Amino acid sequence: MRIESASDWAWETDAALRFTRVGSAIAGLAPEALCAHERLRKSRTRFHDLLVEHRLADGRRRIAALSGEPAFGTGGEFLGYRGSGRDVTERVITEWALRESEERYRSLVELSPDAVLIWQDERLVFANRAAAALLGADSPAALAGRNLWQVVAPQFHERVRERLAQLSEPGRTLPRLEQVYVRLDGDAVEVESSATAFSYLGRPAVLTLARDIAERKRTERHIRSLYAELEARVEERTRQLRATVAELESFSYSISHDLRAPLRAIDGFARILLAEHAAGLAPDARRLLERVSGNALTMGRLIDGLLEFSRLARKDLAAAPVDMAALARAAIEEARSAGAPDTEFRLAPLPGASGDPLLLRQVWVNLLGNAAKFSARARSPLVEAGGAAGESENVYFVRDNGAGFDMAWSGKLFGVFQRLHDDAEFGGTGVGLAIVKRIVERHGGRVWAQSAPGAGATFWFALPAPRT
Amino acid sequence: MKPDLEIEVLLVEDNPNDAELTLRALRSSVPRERLAHVDDGVKALEILFGDRGLAARTGASMPRMILLDLKLPKVDGLEVLRRVKTDDRTRAIPVVVLTSSKEERDINESYRLGVNSYLVKPVGFDEYVAAVADAGRYWMALNQPPLAKLAG
């Protein structure tokens, strides 16, 4: 019989195993707590650390461990049990928690979709169901004792050996590795594995997590091949497109050339008639010949415009810092001497640009020339140009106080041969603004305009801000 | 063309309209019989380098100017230009390309081969006449040709 310590207490039961005396600490123990223990009633032998649940007066659940031995009367009759008890609540709860935690981990491992493999001395000592499935075994047990070097494909032996060497200390974890395992049937399977060193059943072990990535690899390869196919297709289309564009350009170029020759003949022979046979021609015949030759010249100018426009598409774009203010000043001089001597030009500071100086010069020449042309009939013609630097783009404008146009037609403004005024009012071929648009857009910029009839017009263009 | 007469201008032009306009433009400065017109590159090379061509005849003098179109049947203008400018007997003849091509390739190749002048045919007859007449005046009247006969 144990000696009662501070935490131990003594107890006694009657022959029916009902408690007749219990220590003070066990106040809540039901008198019938032991009655249910059939074995004790029958065997009447000593027992040790029998766990009994009870509640304290305040309702807290406690667990006691009772040890006892049977007591017999002088006539040998069974009197009941006597013994000692201890409160073991904390220890038992800790044990339960531990067991539950172990079970939780076990089911985690068992249910894990990833293969879990534990190796000791390069042999498999544990595998879960996913590992069995991965390696093509009927059950984890079928894998027991399998050699690491049978599982890892030969081409990865060296890599895995290196990794194992890094796992000498417990707790070390290796980064993920894409490698190949060999299934029981000899087939290869692509896996992504990670490994960590730990202690298993008291001995150093390596825990490996492996995931079947065959599907992912297939998808990756599929995506890669789709991508390559797409690339090839885009390349092919681009090539076709380039060829088509080049064909179109050379077509329009040669057409333009071939059209010029007969025009020259029309104008030429009309003028020869006028110059050398004037005497034999009635005044009306001379007037009509003048018109023949005038129309030939107009068509010649249209073709020249078309040629210039088509040349722009083929010209390689230079990329240099461009002093826009200098270009605008030169273009103003050009516009002034081209027939706008009375026009007042005002030039505000212009931010610099990056691009093809010759082409950007053409933008200023066309816009300022346009502005001068359409404001020439104003009472005091005024053309202004300015600009502002922005974060992503620099914006420039050319404004005039001339004829303006109805915004309803603004969509036609930048098209080739689109004109909003007839020839008698303002001459021109209708390619100037189309050229501006093409140049600006080839620089990655945009053009737009704002106007009202009689209220002048403002043309804007924006270019990507030069990288500093 | 009369072979016994001296040729002052050789016009190589396949378009009959342009040829007629050119001849008219030169009418005031070059007598018609001193003006040879051929309509392809082969004939041009024959006049210059053929068996009975100018270069083969002793005492025959070379044209004082060649007006050369580029787009020609058979042998094109650039090839004629190359032959003229690589032969010592013809190298000094001023060659004026008269074409409707503003193609960078044509312009640059002509200069590379040593063209003396490159004129783009204007559409307007007045400008055309002026351009051809100016070229004729410049190369045949103003320009000082080499004095010694180039070694043949």
Side-chain angles (χ1 to χ4, degrees), chain A residues 158-206:
Chain A
E158 206 180 320
R159 277 298 292 284
V160 170
R161 221 174 294 241
E162 287 166 14
R163 282 163 70 86
L164 278 179
Q166 296 171 38
L167 279 179
S168 48
E169 307 157 34
R172 275 292 293 272
T173 299
L174 294 180
R176 274 178 286 202
L177 170 71
E178 283 185 10
Q179 58 157 323
V180 175
Y181 280 177
V182 180
R183 290 159 54 93
L184 292 189
D185 59 12
D187 282 354
V189 54
E190 286 169 294
V191 298
E192 182 184 74
S193 68
S194 55
T196 182
F198 85 128
S199 173
Y200 183 71
L201 302 176
R203 292 185 47 232
V206 172

Short mmCIF file of all heavy atoms in Angstrom, two decimals, chain A residues 158-206:
data_model
loop_
_atom_site.label_atom_id
_atom_site.label_comp_id
_atom_site.label_asym_id
_atom_site.label_seq_id
_atom_site.Cartn_x
_atom_site.Cartn_y
_atom_site.Cartn_z
N GLU A 158 23.34 11.73 -58.78
CA GLU A 158 24.38 12.62 -58.29
C GLU A 158 23.77 13.82 -57.56
O GLU A 158 24.21 14.19 -56.47
CB GLU A 158 25.25 13.08 -59.47
CG GLU A 158 26.64 13.46 -59.03
CD GLU A 158 27.48 13.90 -60.21
OE1 GLU A 158 27.36 13.27 -61.28
OE2 GLU A 158 28.22 14.87 -60.04
N ARG A 159 22.73 14.40 -58.20
CA ARG A 159 22.07 15.55 -57.57
C ARG A 159 21.55 15.18 -56.19
O ARG A 159 21.73 15.92 -55.21
CB ARG A 159 20.87 16.02 -58.41
CG ARG A 159 21.19 16.94 -59.57
CD ARG A 159 21.80 18.25 -59.13
NE ARG A 159 20.91 19.16 -58.39
CZ ARG A 159 19.97 19.90 -58.92
NH1 ARG A 159 19.73 19.81 -60.21
NH2 ARG A 159 19.24 20.70 -58.18
N VAL A 160 20.89 14.03 -56.09
CA VAL A 160 20.27 13.63 -54.83
C VAL A 160 21.35 13.35 -53.79
O VAL A 160 21.21 13.68 -52.62
CB VAL A 160 19.35 12.41 -55.05
CG1 VAL A 160 18.90 11.84 -53.73
CG2 VAL A 160 18.15 12.81 -55.90
N ARG A 161 22.47 12.77 -54.23
CA ARG A 161 23.58 12.52 -53.31
C ARG A 161 24.09 13.83 -52.72
O ARG A 161 24.31 13.93 -51.51
CB ARG A 161 24.72 11.79 -54.04
CG ARG A 161 25.34 10.68 -53.19
CD ARG A 161 26.33 9.89 -53.98
NE ARG A 161 25.63 9.18 -55.04
CZ ARG A 161 25.54 7.87 -55.24
NH1 ARG A 161 26.09 7.15 -54.61
NH2 ARG A 161 24.88 7.28 -56.15
N GLU A 162 24.22 14.83 -53.59
CA GLU A 162 24.66 16.14 -53.11
C GLU A 162 23.68 16.71 -52.09
O GLU A 162 24.07 17.28 -51.07
CB GLU A 162 24.76 17.13 -54.28
CG GLU A 162 25.93 16.91 -55.21
CD GLU A 162 25.77 17.70 -56.51
OE1 GLU A 162 24.88 18.59 -56.55
OE2 GLU A 162 26.50 17.40 -57.46
N ARG A 163 22.40 16.52 -52.40
CA ARG A 163 21.39 17.07 -51.50
C ARG A 163 21.40 16.34 -50.16
O ARG A 163 21.25 16.96 -49.10
CB ARG A 163 20.01 16.97 -52.15
CG ARG A 163 19.77 18.05 -53.19
CD ARG A 163 18.63 17.70 -54.10
NE ARG A 163 17.32 17.73 -53.45
CZ ARG A 163 16.56 18.82 -53.32
NH1 ARG A 163 17.00 19.97 -53.76
NH2 ARG A 163 15.39 18.77 -52.74
N LEU A 164 21.60 15.03 -50.20
CA LEU A 164 21.63 14.25 -48.95
C LEU A 164 22.76 14.75 -48.05
O LEU A 164 22.61 14.85 -46.84
CB LEU A 164 21.82 12.77 -49.26
CG LEU A 164 20.55 12.01 -49.65
CD1 LEU A 164 20.90 10.56 -49.94
CD2 LEU A 164 19.51 12.10 -48.54
N ALA A 165 23.90 15.10 -48.69
CA ALA A 165 25.05 15.56 -47.92
C ALA A 165 24.72 16.85 -47.16
O ALA A 165 25.23 17.09 -46.08
CB ALA A 165 26.25 15.78 -48.85
N GLN A 166 23.82 17.65 -47.75
CA GLN A 166 23.45 18.90 -47.09
C GLN A 166 22.47 18.68 -45.95
O GLN A 166 22.17 19.59 -45.19
CB GLN A 166 22.79 19.86 -48.09
CG GLN A 166 23.72 20.30 -49.21
CD GLN A 166 22.94 21.05 -50.28
OE1 GLN A 166 22.04 21.81 -49.97
NE2 GLN A 166 23.29 20.82 -51.53
N LEU A 167 21.95 17.46 -45.83
CA LEU A 167 20.92 17.20 -44.83
C LEU A 167 21.50 16.60 -43.55
O LEU A 167 20.80 15.96 -42.79
CB LEU A 167 19.87 16.24 -45.40
CG LEU A 167 18.82 16.89 -46.29
CD1 LEU A 167 17.86 15.84 -46.81
CD2 LEU A 167 18.06 17.96 -45.54
N SER A 168 22.82 16.81 -43.32
CA SER A 168 23.45 16.17 -42.17
C SER A 168 22.87 16.64 -40.85
O SER A 168 22.75 15.87 -39.91
CB SER A 168 24.96 16.39 -42.23
OG SER A 168 25.20 17.76 -42.46
N GLU A 169 22.48 17.94 -40.79
CA GLU A 169 21.93 18.42 -39.52
C GLU A 169 20.42 18.24 -39.54
O GLU A 169 19.78 18.53 -40.53
CB GLU A 169 22.21 19.92 -39.33
CG GLU A 169 23.65 20.30 -39.47
CD GLU A 169 23.78 21.77 -39.84
OE1 GLU A 169 22.95 22.58 -39.38
OE2 GLU A 169 24.69 22.10 -40.61
N PRO A 170 19.85 17.83 -38.40
CA PRO A 170 18.40 17.72 -38.32
C PRO A 170 17.76 19.11 -38.46
O PRO A 170 18.34 20.10 -38.04
CB PRO A 170 18.14 17.16 -36.93
CG PRO A 170 19.46 16.88 -36.34
CD PRO A 170 20.53 17.47 -37.17
N GLY A 171 16.61 19.14 -39.10
CA GLY A 171 15.92 20.43 -39.25
C GLY A 171 16.26 21.14 -40.54
O GLY A 171 15.57 22.06 -40.94
N ARG A 172 17.36 20.70 -41.18
CA ARG A 172 17.69 21.34 -42.47
C ARG A 172 16.64 20.96 -43.51
O ARG A 172 16.19 19.82 -43.57
CB ARG A 172 19.05 20.84 -42.98
CG ARG A 172 20.25 21.60 -42.45
CD ARG A 172 20.33 23.02 -42.94
NE ARG A 172 20.58 23.14 -44.36
CZ ARG A 172 21.81 23.16 -44.89
NH1 ARG A 172 22.87 23.04 -44.13
NH2 ARG A 172 21.96 23.31 -46.19
N THR A 173 16.23 21.93 -44.31
CA THR A 173 15.26 21.66 -45.36
C THR A 173 15.86 22.06 -46.69
O THR A 173 16.56 23.07 -46.79
CB THR A 173 13.97 22.47 -45.11
OG1 THR A 173 13.43 22.06 -43.87
CG2 THR A 173 12.95 22.22 -46.21
N LEU A 174 15.62 21.24 -47.70
CA LEU A 174 16.17 21.53 -49.03
C LEU A 174 15.12 22.18 -49.92
O LEU A 174 13.94 21.87 -49.80
CB LEU A 174 16.65 20.24 -49.69
CG LEU A 174 17.84 19.57 -49.00
CD1 LEU A 174 18.21 18.31 -49.77
CD2 LEU A 174 19.02 20.51 -48.94
N PRO A 175 15.56 23.07 -50.79
CA PRO A 175 14.59 23.66 -51.74
C PRO A 175 14.04 22.58 -52.66
O PRO A 175 14.61 21.50 -52.80
CB PRO A 175 15.43 24.67 -52.52
CG PRO A 175 16.83 24.24 -52.34
CD PRO A 175 16.91 23.55 -51.01
N ARG A 176 12.92 22.92 -53.30
CA ARG A 176 12.27 21.94 -54.17
C ARG A 176 13.13 21.59 -55.38
O ARG A 176 13.86 22.44 -55.89
CB ARG A 176 10.92 22.47 -54.62
CG ARG A 176 9.86 22.13 -53.61
CD ARG A 176 8.55 22.68 -54.05
NE ARG A 176 8.55 24.13 -53.86
CZ ARG A 176 7.45 24.85 -53.75
NH1 ARG A 176 6.27 24.27 -53.84
NH2 ARG A 176 7.50 26.14 -53.56
N LEU A 177 13.02 20.35 -55.78
CA LEU A 177 13.81 19.87 -56.92
C LEU A 177 12.86 19.15 -57.88
O LEU A 177 12.04 18.34 -57.46
CB LEU A 177 14.89 18.89 -56.44
CG LEU A 177 15.64 18.12 -57.53
CD1 LEU A 177 16.56 19.04 -58.30
CD2 LEU A 177 16.40 16.95 -56.93
N GLU A 178 12.99 19.49 -59.15
CA GLU A 178 12.22 18.72 -60.14
C GLU A 178 13.09 17.56 -60.59
O GLU A 178 14.19 17.77 -61.09
CB GLU A 178 11.84 19.61 -61.33
CG GLU A 178 10.69 20.53 -61.00
CD GLU A 178 10.21 21.34 -62.19
OE1 GLU A 178 10.67 21.07 -63.33
OE2 GLU A 178 9.40 22.25 -61.98
N GLN A 179 12.62 16.35 -60.36
CA GLN A 179 13.43 15.19 -60.71
C GLN A 179 12.52 14.06 -61.19
O GLN A 179 11.33 14.26 -61.41
CB GLN A 179 14.28 14.77 -59.51
CG GLN A 179 13.46 14.45 -58.28
CD GLN A 179 14.22 13.54 -57.34
OE1 GLN A 179 14.94 12.65 -57.79
NE2 GLN A 179 14.06 13.75 -56.04
N VAL A 180 13.13 12.89 -61.34
CA VAL A 180 12.36 11.78 -61.89
C VAL A 180 12.49 10.58 -60.95
O VAL A 180 13.58 10.25 -60.49
CB VAL A 180 12.88 11.40 -63.30
CG1 VAL A 180 12.17 10.17 -63.83
CG2 VAL A 180 12.71 12.58 -64.25
N TYR A 181 11.35 9.95 -60.62
CA TYR A 181 11.34 8.71 -59.84
C TYR A 181 11.06 7.55 -60.79
O TYR A 181 10.47 7.75 -61.86
CB TYR A 181 10.23 8.74 -58.78
CG TYR A 181 10.58 9.52 -57.52
CD1 TYR A 181 9.62 9.66 -56.51
CD2 TYR A 181 11.83 10.08 -57.33
CE1 TYR A 181 9.91 10.36 -55.35
CE2 TYR A 181 12.13 10.78 -56.17
CZ TYR A 181 11.16 10.93 -55.18
OH TYR A 181 11.45 11.61 -54.05
N VAL A 182 11.49 6.36 -60.34
CA VAL A 182 11.20 5.17 -61.13
C VAL A 182 10.12 4.37 -60.41
O VAL A 182 10.25 4.04 -59.24
CB VAL A 182 12.48 4.30 -61.29
CG1 VAL A 182 12.15 3.06 -62.13
CG2 VAL A 182 13.59 5.11 -61.91
N ARG A 183 9.03 4.10 -61.12
CA ARG A 183 7.94 3.34 -60.53
C ARG A 183 8.31 1.86 -60.46
O ARG A 183 9.29 1.42 -61.04
CB ARG A 183 6.67 3.52 -61.37
CG ARG A 183 6.08 4.91 -61.28
CD ARG A 183 5.18 5.19 -62.47
NE ARG A 183 4.16 4.14 -62.63
CZ ARG A 183 2.94 4.23 -62.10
NH1 ARG A 183 2.59 5.29 -61.42
NH2 ARG A 183 2.08 3.25 -62.28
N LEU A 184 7.49 1.10 -59.71
CA LEU A 184 7.78 -0.33 -59.58
C LEU A 184 7.78 -1.01 -60.95
O LEU A 184 8.52 -1.96 -61.19
CB LEU A 184 6.75 -1.00 -58.67
CG LEU A 184 6.80 -0.58 -57.19
CD1 LEU A 184 5.88 -1.47 -56.36
CD2 LEU A 184 8.22 -0.63 -56.66
N ASP A 185 6.93 -0.52 -61.86
CA ASP A 185 6.87 -1.14 -63.18
C ASP A 185 7.98 -0.63 -64.11
O ASP A 185 8.02 -0.98 -65.28
CB ASP A 185 5.49 -0.93 -63.82
CG ASP A 185 5.15 0.55 -63.98
OD1 ASP A 185 6.06 1.40 -63.81
OD2 ASP A 185 3.98 0.85 -64.26
N GLY A 186 8.86 0.23 -63.56
CA GLY A 186 9.99 0.68 -64.36
C GLY A 186 9.75 1.98 -65.10
O GLY A 186 10.67 2.58 -65.64
N ASP A 187 8.48 2.44 -65.11
CA ASP A 187 8.18 3.70 -65.80
C ASP A 187 8.73 4.88 -65.01
O ASP A 187 8.81 4.84 -63.78
CB ASP A 187 6.66 3.87 -65.95
CG ASP A 187 6.13 3.00 -67.09
OD1 ASP A 187 6.96 2.38 -67.78
OD2 ASP A 187 4.89 2.95 -67.24
N ALA A 188 9.07 5.92 -65.74
CA ALA A 188 9.57 7.13 -65.09
C ALA A 188 8.40 8.04 -64.77
O ALA A 188 7.41 8.08 -65.50
CB ALA A 188 10.55 7.86 -66.00
N VAL A 189 8.48 8.76 -63.66
CA VAL A 189 7.46 9.73 -63.33
C VAL A 189 8.14 11.01 -62.86
O VAL A 189 9.07 10.98 -62.06
CB VAL A 189 6.46 9.18 -62.28
CG1 VAL A 189 7.19 8.70 -61.04
CG2 VAL A 189 5.43 10.21 -61.92
N GLU A 190 7.69 12.14 -63.46
CA GLU A 190 8.31 13.41 -63.10
C GLU A 190 7.72 13.90 -61.79
O GLU A 190 6.50 13.95 -61.64
CB GLU A 190 8.06 14.44 -64.20
CG GLU A 190 8.89 14.21 -65.43
CD GLU A 190 8.43 15.08 -66.58
OE1 GLU A 190 7.30 14.88 -67.05
OE2 GLU A 190 9.21 15.96 -66.99
N VAL A 191 8.59 14.25 -60.84
CA VAL A 191 8.11 14.71 -59.54
C VAL A 191 8.83 16.00 -59.15
O VAL A 191 9.91 16.30 -59.64
CB VAL A 191 8.35 13.66 -58.43
CG1 VAL A 191 7.59 12.39 -58.71
CG2 VAL A 191 9.84 13.40 -58.24
N GLU A 192 8.16 16.70 -58.24
CA GLU A 192 8.82 17.82 -57.60
C GLU A 192 8.96 17.41 -56.14
O GLU A 192 7.97 17.05 -55.51
CB GLU A 192 7.94 19.06 -57.73
CG GLU A 192 8.56 20.29 -57.13
CD GLU A 192 7.58 21.46 -57.22
OE1 GLU A 192 6.61 21.48 -56.45
OE2 GLU A 192 7.80 22.31 -58.07
N SER A 193 10.18 17.41 -55.63
CA SER A 193 10.38 16.89 -54.29
C SER A 193 11.04 17.92 -53.40
O SER A 193 11.77 18.80 -53.86
CB SER A 193 11.24 15.63 -54.34
OG SER A 193 12.55 15.99 -54.73
N SER A 194 10.74 17.82 -52.10
CA SER A 194 11.49 18.60 -51.12
C SER A 194 11.82 17.63 -49.99
O SER A 194 11.16 16.62 -49.83
CB SER A 194 10.67 19.79 -50.63
OG SER A 194 9.43 19.36 -50.14
N ALA A 195 12.87 17.94 -49.24
CA ALA A 195 13.31 16.99 -48.22
C ALA A 195 13.74 17.74 -46.98
O ALA A 195 14.17 18.89 -47.05
CB ALA A 195 14.46 16.14 -48.76
N THR A 196 13.57 17.08 -45.87
CA THR A 196 14.02 17.69 -44.62
C THR A 196 14.60 16.59 -43.73
O THR A 196 14.18 15.43 -43.79
CB THR A 196 12.84 18.42 -43.94
OG1 THR A 196 13.32 19.04 -42.77
CG2 THR A 196 11.71 17.48 -43.59
N ALA A 197 15.58 16.96 -42.92
CA ALA A 197 16.19 15.99 -42.01
C ALA A 197 15.40 16.00 -40.71
O ALA A 197 15.03 17.06 -40.23
CB ALA A 197 17.65 16.36 -41.75
N PHE A 198 15.11 14.85 -40.16
CA PHE A 198 14.42 14.79 -38.86
C PHE A 198 14.72 13.46 -38.19
O PHE A 198 15.45 12.63 -38.73
CB PHE A 198 12.93 15.08 -39.03
CG PHE A 198 12.08 13.89 -39.42
CD1 PHE A 198 10.94 13.60 -38.68
CD2 PHE A 198 12.43 13.09 -40.50
CE1 PHE A 198 10.15 12.51 -39.02
CE2 PHE A 198 11.63 12.02 -40.84
CZ PHE A 198 10.50 11.72 -40.10
N SER A 199 14.16 13.34 -36.99
CA SER A 199 14.44 12.13 -36.25
C SER A 199 13.20 11.25 -36.27
O SER A 199 12.10 11.70 -36.00
CB SER A 199 14.83 12.52 -34.81
OG SER A 199 14.95 11.37 -34.04
N TYR A 200 13.37 9.98 -36.64
CA TYR A 200 12.24 9.06 -36.74
C TYR A 200 12.55 7.83 -35.90
O TYR A 200 13.57 7.17 -36.11
CB TYR A 200 12.03 8.68 -38.21
CG TYR A 200 10.84 7.79 -38.47
CD1 TYR A 200 9.55 8.30 -38.33
CD2 TYR A 200 11.01 6.48 -38.85
CE1 TYR A 200 8.46 7.50 -38.58
CE2 TYR A 200 9.91 5.66 -39.10
CZ TYR A 200 8.63 6.17 -38.96
OH TYR A 200 7.55 5.37 -39.20
N LEU A 201 11.67 7.59 -34.94
CA LEU A 201 11.87 6.47 -34.01
C LEU A 201 13.26 6.53 -33.40
O LEU A 201 13.96 5.52 -33.29
CB LEU A 201 11.65 5.13 -34.72
CG LEU A 201 10.27 4.97 -35.36
CD1 LEU A 201 10.17 3.67 -36.13
CD2 LEU A 201 9.15 5.08 -34.33
N GLY A 202 13.68 7.75 -33.05
CA GLY A 202 14.93 7.94 -32.33
C GLY A 202 16.17 7.92 -33.18
O GLY A 202 17.27 8.06 -32.66
N ARG A 203 16.02 7.74 -34.52
CA ARG A 203 17.22 7.70 -35.35
C ARG A 203 17.09 8.73 -36.48
O ARG A 203 15.99 9.06 -36.90
CB ARG A 203 17.40 6.30 -35.94
CG ARG A 203 17.74 5.26 -34.86
CD ARG A 203 18.03 3.91 -35.46
NE ARG A 203 18.95 4.01 -36.58
CZ ARG A 203 18.72 3.47 -37.79
NH1 ARG A 203 17.60 2.81 -38.00
NH2 ARG A 203 19.59 3.60 -38.74
N PRO A 204 18.22 9.24 -36.96
CA PRO A 204 18.16 10.24 -38.02
C PRO A 204 17.47 9.68 -39.26
O PRO A 204 17.66 8.51 -39.59
CB PRO A 204 19.62 10.57 -38.33
CG PRO A 204 20.46 9.77 -37.40
CD PRO A 204 19.59 8.88 -36.57
N ALA A 205 16.65 10.53 -39.85
CA ALA A 205 15.92 10.09 -41.03
C ALA A 205 15.75 11.27 -41.98
O ALA A 205 16.02 12.41 -41.61
CB ALA A 205 14.56 9.54 -40.63
N VAL A 206 15.35 10.97 -43.19
CA VAL A 206 15.06 12.02 -44.16
C VAL A 206 13.61 11.87 -44.57
O VAL A 206 13.16 10.78 -44.93
CB VAL A 206 15.97 11.91 -45.40
CG1 VAL A 206 15.51 12.90 -46.48
CG2 VAL A 206 17.41 12.17 -45.01
#
